[in-house]
Every structure is written in structure tokens, then in C-alpha cells.
Amino acid sequence: MQPAPCPARHHSPAGKQTATAAVGSVLNRGLNVRHIRFMALGSAIGTGLFYGSASAIQKAGPAVLLAYIIGGAAVFMVMRALGEMAVRHPVSGSFGQYASRYLGPLAGFVTGWTYVFEMAIVAIADVTAFSIYMGFWFPQVERWVWILAIIFFLAALNLLSVKVFGELEFWFSLIKVVAIIAMIAGGAAIIMFGFQAGGSTVAPGLGNLVEHGGFFPFGFEGLLASFAVVMFAFGGIETLGITAGEAANPKRVIPKAVNTVPVRVLLFYVLTLGVLMSLFPWDEIGSNGSPFVQIFSGLGIPAAPHILNAVVITAALSAINSDIFGAGRILFGLSRQGHAPAAFGKVSRHGVPWMTVVMMAGILLVGVVLNAIIPENVFVLIASIATFATVWVWVMILASHVAMKREIARTGLPASEFPSPLWPAASLLTIAFMALVIAVLGAFEDTRIALYVGGAWLALLVLAYRLWVKGDGRRRADLVDETPPLPVVTAARDTESLDTESLGTAVGNSH
């Protein structure tokens, strides 16, 4: 294990320079506003929307729109909490280091490794979805062949500079955003002008939201059940906070990206699925092929299936790419804290932690085995386990934020430049909601395995920490607080200086 820096309550300029050299300057700050903004946009559009939305709809019916609104509001609070910490401490390792700094080294160890576990599980789900999409064009080719190919392709790209990753995510996200907007516009045109949606047996219209068993066809229980899939769809959005360590100007770009979360939720999920369920009865969605393909088919576009398949493949590639990036940077931070082998802290000449990329590629090879053994059941299994890991990481982000806010108030530190709104009520309510989601996983038989796997994983991490983490790894992370001093102090000093100068001038003039 590589030693972690010792904690310090007072941050001197020298200490700041040391910490920056140790953490900030190792990874290249090659992500600009355009990269991070489109990463923020694209993170909301992935496997959870294109592949998982049909499952969520079947659990709750049209009430799934309410689930996405509630879940989106909770995720927004998580992102605001993370954004406040990222602007205050823009470091590689992000929330893993924040948990270590404000909750203790064990919390940092568990949070960081659980996020790596989450990204590994989500990436396996994403490569599974990718292989299914490729099967549309090449049904005779085994799924595992595509998974193997994409692992090596994206691993190679991630070994290049972070700017290459940013550019790739920009174009991937642009394609997804344009496709979603086109689907919303196309669906709205079908509804307004009365075209018959492709494959539908019912005329399109807003009445489809309430005419097939009502808005709550499965009652409140159905709404609760859908949260397992809904929260999986938002999983990985916290990767945005990790970009702070490689953003050219984190204080400017992180707040702008985080504040787009409500718009993304409303546009990409609520509006898209609202249009979708207006075109087709909710109980038909997913039974006649991809509902997104059916939208373009209803507009008379002959190549609709191929266009949409290309789009969802792009979405899957983008998601896998982000999974590799996020897990790699957290592993880099863990190695700096003494919570992972020192090899994960080594970077290439391009400023990329290459060992972490190699490890993620190795983990994804598990997806090859799973898809060869249980191809039909692997997605639901993986999605429920990923939801547990995702929600656990979010809870730790919120808990770290609560601890940070209390320390700021207790020690009289400068107020945050990007404070989380409605503090502390919103943060505490969000933690309670996350606890409800974990309880929901255990309440339903098809997702209960997530609690067993998740509980075993957390117990394993605690044991690993006790056995293998030694020395500086048992100390809290030392993070530089980049919040500027209170302006009122500066103003007072300036006034005092001005008064002294004025007095001197007055005395001089009197002689």
C-alpha cells in the first residue's frame, strides 16, 4: 500500500503545494467546459433508458413517470452535495476521499471500493446490453464475441490522454441527445397529427396514460417496485464529480454541469417516457420490439430500426467508457490514500492511470463468462446488484456532505461557493429516501439477491480493511480547502488600509 498524507487541520501554503503536487498535478487537467457539459448530458441517457425503461414501465405502468420525478429529485440533491464538496476539494478520487476526510478512513475505503464494484457491475450490464444490440444486426454471432471486442477497444482508448476520453464522450453524448430530442419531436408529431404509431393497436393520445388500468395500475406497491430499476437508470451520474480532478476550471464547470440534472431528468426520462406511453398502451411497450424504433417507424422512416440500433449502441459505448473512466480515477485516489495497491497510482506519460484501466478490462471479462453461461437472466441480476451499490455510494456522499457542513459551522470556515440548497432538510430527506430504496430491494423476490450480495460485499470490505490497510491508510485523507477566505475579512482590511492612507494624506495636507 502507498502511504496516504497525514491529516492536518490547518492548511498552510506549503501544505497546499504539497497536496497539489501529490494529487492534482499527476493527472492532466484536459477536460474543458464542452467535455464536462456533454458528459453531464450524456450520463442521463444510457442502458437504463433504452433497455431498462420497459421493465420499469411494466412494474408501475404510467406511474413510473412519478418514480422518475421523485428519483430524479433525490439524485439532484446527491449531485448538489457532491458538487459542493468537489468545488471545495477538486481532487482525484472524489467522494472516496471526501468520505475518508469527513467520515473516517474506513468509510473512505468502503465508499471507494463500493463505487469501483458499482462501476464494474454496471459496466457488465452495459456490455451485456451492447451484445444484445449487436445481435440485431448479427444474430448468428455469439454475444461474448462482441463483449470481448468492445472491452479491448475501449480499454485501448482509455489508455490515451483524458482529452481523448473527453472528445469521445462529447460525440457519443451529442448523438444520444440529438436522438432523444428527435424521438420526442417525432412522438409529439404522431400525437398531434394523428399518425398511427408503428405496431400499435390503439390510437395515440394522452388518454393512453390513464385508460389502461389507470395511472396507478399496480397501486402504490407498483410505484415502489419500479424504484429498483429507476435508480439503476441514474447510476453512474456521480461520475461527474470525479471529473473535478481533471477539469481545467472545476469551480466554473462543475456547478454548471450539476445544475443541468433537473432538466435532464424532465427531458430525457419524464418527457420521453410520457410521449412513449401516449403513443402505445403501457402494457404493450417492449412486447413488439423496441418502442423507440416504433416511434420512427410510425413516421414512415424505413431505416428506423437500424438508426435506433446505432443510437443505442452509441449509448452503451458511452456508458462503458464512463464506467472505465470513473472506476479508474477512484482507484487512483484509493492508492493515494493507502487503500489500494500503489500500482494503481502510477500514470502513463499521457497522465492516465493505466493500471486501473487494465484492471477494469479484466473485470469486464467476467461479463464474457456470464453472458456465455446465463445470457437470458444476466441483466436483471446485474441491475439489482448495481442499484444496491449505487444507492450505498449516494448515501455515503450525502453523509460526507452532512459531516462537512457541520464541520464548517463548528469551526467557522468560509461558506461554500456552491452550497447545496434547502440545507439540512433536503439532505436528510434524501438519505431517508435512499434507505427506502434499499428496503424496496429486499421487499421483492426478484431483487432481494442484491441485498445478500451487497451485504456480503460490505462485510468483505470491512474485513479487508482490518487485515490489510496499515499505517497512513488508517488516517483521514488530508484535502486542501480551495474556498477563498471570507470577503468580509478582506474588505475590513482594505478599509483599514484606506483609512490609514487617508489619515496620512490629511496630516500631510495640514503641513
Side-chain angles (χ1 to χ4, degrees):
M1 297 288 185
Q2 184 165 329
C6 299
R9 292 289 179 184
H10 304 286
H11 303 294
S12 64
K16 180 174 181 177
Q17 292 171 1
T18 303
T20 303
V23 179
S25 62
V26 176
L27 299 180
N28 290 337
R29 289 185 179 265
L31 297 176
N32 58 34
V33 177
R34 175 172 58 89
H35 294 148
I36 293 178
R37 183 170 292 171
F38 270 83
M39 284 176 65
L41 287 170
S43 63
I45 315 172
T47 307
L49 176 60
F50 289 112
Y51 192 74
S53 58
S55 174
I57 290 171
Q58 294 306 315
K59 288 179 179 293
V64 76
L65 299 178
L66 187 57
Y68 277 108
I69 292 174
I70 296 171
V75 170
F76 176 62
M77 292 310 304
V78 173
M79 293 305 296
R80 282 301 300 258
L82 179 56
E84 181 174 347
M85 292 188 290
V87 170
R88 201 172 191 96
H89 308 293
V91 296
S92 304
S94 190
F95 39 83
Q97 296 217 42
Y98 304 149
S100 178
R101 168 66 179 80
Y102 292 105
L103 300 177
L106 175 59
F109 179 84
V110 172
T111 301
W113 277 105
T114 300
Y115 176 77
V116 173
F117 177 69
E118 173 200 342
M119 287 296 95
I121 294 296
V122 170
I124 291 173
D126 290 332
V127 295
T128 300
F130 171 78
S131 68
I132 293 171
Y133 301 148
M134 291 302 294
F136 175 79
W137 284 331
F138 306 99
Q140 72 280 6
V141 179
E142 295 288 340
R143 284 187 190 178
W144 64 266
V145 175
W146 297 116
I147 294 175
L148 197 62
I150 201 60
I151 289 172
F152 286 116
F153 173 70
L154 289 179
L157 287 178
N158 272 270
L159 289 173
L160 302 176
S161 72
V162 71
K163 189 172 184 179
V164 173
F165 165 80
E167 283 295 324
L168 198 63
E169 278 302 292
F170 169 76
W171 290 107
F172 280 161
S173 297
L174 183 61
I175 292 171
K176 293 188 290 184
V177 169
V178 170
I180 286 289
I181 294 173
M183 280 189 280
I184 292 172
I190 292 174
I191 295 170
M192 291 174 61
F193 298 109
F195 301 145
Q196 186 68 26
S200 179
T201 59
V202 179
L206 296 177
N208 282 328
L209 293 174
V210 294
E211 291 175 356
H212 305 278
F215 190 75
F216 286 89
F218 299 110
F220 186 67
E221 182 179 337
L223 178 68
L224 284 178
S226 70
F227 278 119
V229 181
V230 167
M231 302 314 285
F232 167 75
F234 293 125
I237 200 171
E238 67 277 4
T239 302
L240 185 62
I242 298 173
T243 63
E246 291 169 273
N249 188 351
K251 291 181 182 291
R252 186 165 67 96
V253 302
I254 295 298
K256 287 184 177 180
V258 168
N259 283 334
T260 63
V261 170
V263 177
R264 282 180 282 158
V265 170
L266 290 174
L267 179 63
F268 297 145
Y269 283 96
V270 179
L271 189 54
T272 302
L273 297 183
V275 168
L276 193 60
M277 288 185 288
S278 297
L279 295 175
F280 311 97
W282 66 267
D283 51 357
E284 290 185 9
I285 292 176
S287 61
N288 297 316
S290 170
F292 299 102
V293 170
Q294 288 172 295
I295 292 178
F296 285 123
S297 297
L299 291 171
I301 301 175
H306 298 284
I307 294 173
L308 259 295
N309 201 55
V311 170
V312 295
I313 283 174
T314 300
L317 290 174
S318 172
I320 301 165
N321 200 35
S322 293
D323 297 340
I324 295 173
F325 171 86
R329 270 50 181 185
I330 287 291
L331 279 170
F332 177 85
L334 287 170
S335 71
R336 287 295 186 183
Q337 294 174 250
H339 290 167
F344 291 136
K346 296 179 179 178
V347 297
S348 68
R349 59 189 178 89
H350 299 296
V352 174
W354 61 271
M355 190 63 185
T356 64
V357 175
V358 173
M359 175 182 167
M360 277 300 292
I363 291 173
L364 286 179
L365 291 177
V366 175
V368 178
V369 178
L370 289 176
N371 278 271
I373 298 173
I374 48 172
E376 300 305 321
N377 303 321
V378 67
F379 186 83
V380 175
L381 172 67
I382 288 172
S384 60
I385 297 173
T387 300
F388 174 86
T390 298
V391 172
W392 179 267
V393 169
W394 289 344
V395 168
M396 299 305 286
I397 289 173
L398 290 165
S400 301
H401 178 255
V402 169
M404 183 189 77
K405 296 289 278 189
R406 288 177 175 174
E407 181 174 307
I408 291 173
R410 185 176 65 253
T411 58
L413 293 173
S416 299
E417 298 172 272
F418 185 51
S420 183
L422 303 176
W423 164 261
S427 296
L428 298 177
L429 284 174
T430 305
I431 292 175
F433 171 75
M434 295 302 173
L436 173 65
V437 174
I438 292 177
V440 166
L441 290 175
F444 297 93
E445 187 176 353
D446 58 342
T447 58
R448 194 169 298 149
I449 189 175
L451 290 189
Y452 301 143
V453 174
W457 169 257
L458 294 178
L460 184 64
L461 285 180
V462 172
L463 180 62
Y465 178 85
R466 300 296 183 196
L467 292 178
W468 292 312
V469 177
K470 306 293 182 184
D472 288 342
R474 294 291 186 101
R475 297 173 180 167
R476 290 176 183 262
D478 179 27
L479 304 181
V480 176
D481 190 338
E482 297 192 8
T483 306
L486 292 170
V488 65
V489 175
T490 305
R493 288 176 178 172
D494 290 343
T495 303
E496 182 180 350
S497 300
L498 184 61
D499 290 342
T500 303
E501 292 174 6
S502 300
L503 179 61
T505 302
V507 171
N509 290 339
S510 67
H511 289 290

